[in-house]
Amino acid sequence: MEGDARTKRMDRELASRCLAELGARGWKVRCAPAGRIGDLESEIRSLRDTGKMSEAHYALCLDCWDFSAARAFPGPASILVAASPSRTRRLDFHAGARRVEAVLPPIFAERFSFKASVIECLSSILGPAGRHASPARLPEKLLAARTGLARIGRNRLAYVDGMGSYCRLGAFLVDLPFPDDGWEEALRPSACADCGACERACPSGALKQGGERFDHDRCLCYLNEETAEPFPAWAEGAWHHAFMGCMRCQEACPLDAAYRGLVEEGPSFDPGETEAILSMGPEAAEGDLPPSLREKIAECGLSKLLFLLPRNLKALTDKA
Ligand code: SF4
Ligand code: SF4
């Protein structure tokens, strides 16, 4: 009994040190018992079953998420969802003599290094106590909304206090009980009630009926991030403005007024690098790229998406 009490006290101290250290780095965190992973899975399945998510979108999601992750951790475990501020990047390319500017949405920059930094931080505290943390492939926006970390706007973006939608989310599994932050209804920001600016700004009509419906297959984020197919004829050339994804509904949102101007510059791709991207084949591999181009693409968080880059860049250079 005494040993149990001591273990619980040590667990509480470890969890509290982890949360304090994550907070000291400017990251916001919410926690839930790992058993909530089953609730996330049921909720996503119910979106599919009620027609709010298409079969194709559901299949794509299942490729990205792993709802069985907690089984790797016997005993009590927690899920943590963390948010860090993130900025838009302004990239420029040089197609011959022309300079072509494109944005990279905040979700891409540092998307791998943020998770690695959180794991490094957690492991430095948990490792010496024989505990572990690992990244979890879970629906991060839904998890953030359910734990009260974020609200989900009509544009389907996650809004975190003090960061707006200019944030990056990461989910993590830890073999330690953390304080339970509760499991609330996924709420909209109250500002959405009388707004609709995102729906008006969306060029493709993906947002519909006051944000009640989202046509995933019409969203540019799907077209340029999630499929390697040529862009459909109905996707007008003028809509393309981002190297990856789309920011029209984010740029229009009044909740982001304080954050959208905080843009990071670069990298800049010289004419040779621009041409090298445009001429990449579908089998292009990181190792085939000149080191400087490889580094710039890695800096953008796009190393694993090389096969999409020539098509996306061509849409931008054709438009310019
Ligand atoms: S643009 Fe308006 S409706 Fe859309 S997410 Fe922002 S506040 Fe909500
Ligand atoms: S990301 Fe672009 S295409 Fe998708 S809903 Fe927003 S504005 Fe529309």
Side-chain angles (χ1 to χ4, degrees):
M1 285 295 274
E2 202 178 303
D4 274 1
R6 190 166 57 242
T7 303
K8 281 185 181 162
R9 192 179 64 247
M10 284 170 58
D11 283 354
R12 274 197 303 274
E13 285 170 8
L14 276 175
S16 147
R17 278 179 57 205
C18 287
L19 293 174
E21 193 54 43
L22 295 170
R25 297 180 186 215
W27 302 328
K28 297 197 172 196
V29 184
R30 292 285 190 285
C31 317
R36 287 295 186 186
I37 292 175
D39 295 322
L40 291 172
E41 183 175 17
S42 306
E43 194 163 343
I44 295 291
R45 198 181 310 118
S46 119
L47 290 175
R48 190 266 321 258
D49 294 346
T50 55
K52 291 182 177 159
M53 180 185 269
S54 69
E55 281 290 348
H57 188 190
Y58 181 71
L60 268 175
C61 291
L62 291 193
D63 279 348
C64 299
W65 299 331
D66 177 7
F67 293 108
S68 68
R71 287 187 212 132
F73 281 7
S78 303
I79 28 178
L80 272 55
V81 56
S84 91
S86 184
R87 302 283 171 256
T88 305
R89 283 196 173 218
R90 186 159 33 224
L91 312 179
D92 71 331
F93 300 90
H94 294 84
R98 280 183 304 135
R99 180 173 172 276
V100 177
E101 205 172 87
V103 293
L104 188 68
I107 199 165
F108 284 97
E110 294 164 19
R111 65 185 173 142
F112 300 118
S113 60
F114 169 56
K115 291 185 185 178
S117 300
V118 172
I119 290 295
E120 187 188 345
C121 176
L122 290 171
S123 300
S124 69
I125 297 166
L126 299 174
R131 301 305 184 100
H132 307 90
S134 67
R137 294 193 291 123
L138 294 172
E140 291 159 349
K141 275 195 282 188
L142 181 58
L143 177 58
R146 284 295 192 178
T147 53
L149 178 65
R151 294 190 171 208
I152 307 299
R154 282 200 212 181
N155 54 9
R156 303 303 194 267
L157 294 172
Y159 288 79
V160 174
D161 280 350
M163 303 180 192
S165 68
Y166 286 68
C167 62
R168 167 181 339 293
L169 299 175
F172 307 89
L173 265 167
V174 184
D175 57 353
L176 185 73
F178 272 69
D180 184 351
D181 284 315
W183 200 251
E184 56 188 56
E185 192 185 342
L187 295 173
R188 283 253 163 91
S190 54
C192 288
D194 302 314
C195 180
C198 50
E199 192 172 338
R200 292 190 292 277
C202 175
S204 69
L207 297 170
K208 293 183 164 71
Q209 297 171 3
E212 289 311 310
R213 285 204 49 210
F214 174 60
D215 192 342
H216 172 258
D217 295 354
R218 284 194 73 85
C219 178
L220 287 169
C221 293
Y222 164 69
L223 296 176
N224 69 26
E225 280 178 52
E226 296 175 17
T227 168
E229 295 296 316
F231 292 130
W234 52 258
E236 295 176 23
W239 296 352
H240 300 290
H241 69 120
F243 193 29
M244 199 61 68
C246 167
M247 291 192 63
R248 296 298 188 208
C249 55
Q250 193 168 15
E251 288 168 343
C253 180
L255 293 173
D256 281 327
Y259 312 107
R260 69 175 135 257
L262 306 172
V263 175
E264 288 177 1
E265 295 296 335
S268 171
F269 296 83
D270 68 24
E273 291 166 339
T274 302
E275 184 49 41
I277 295 174
L278 286 168
S279 54
M280 274 179 193
E283 306 296 329
E286 262 190 287
D288 302 335
L289 303 177
S292 76
L293 179 56
R294 187 164 63 229
E295 277 167 30
K296 288 177 186 179
I297 289 175
E299 193 184 333
C300 294
L302 301 176
S303 302
K304 298 200 180 345
L305 299 176
L306 295 184
F307 62 105
L308 301 176
L309 304 188
R311 178 201 58 190
N312 290 6
L313 183 53
K314 185 161 187 328
L316 296 165
T317 55
D318 282 354
K319 174 187 148 186

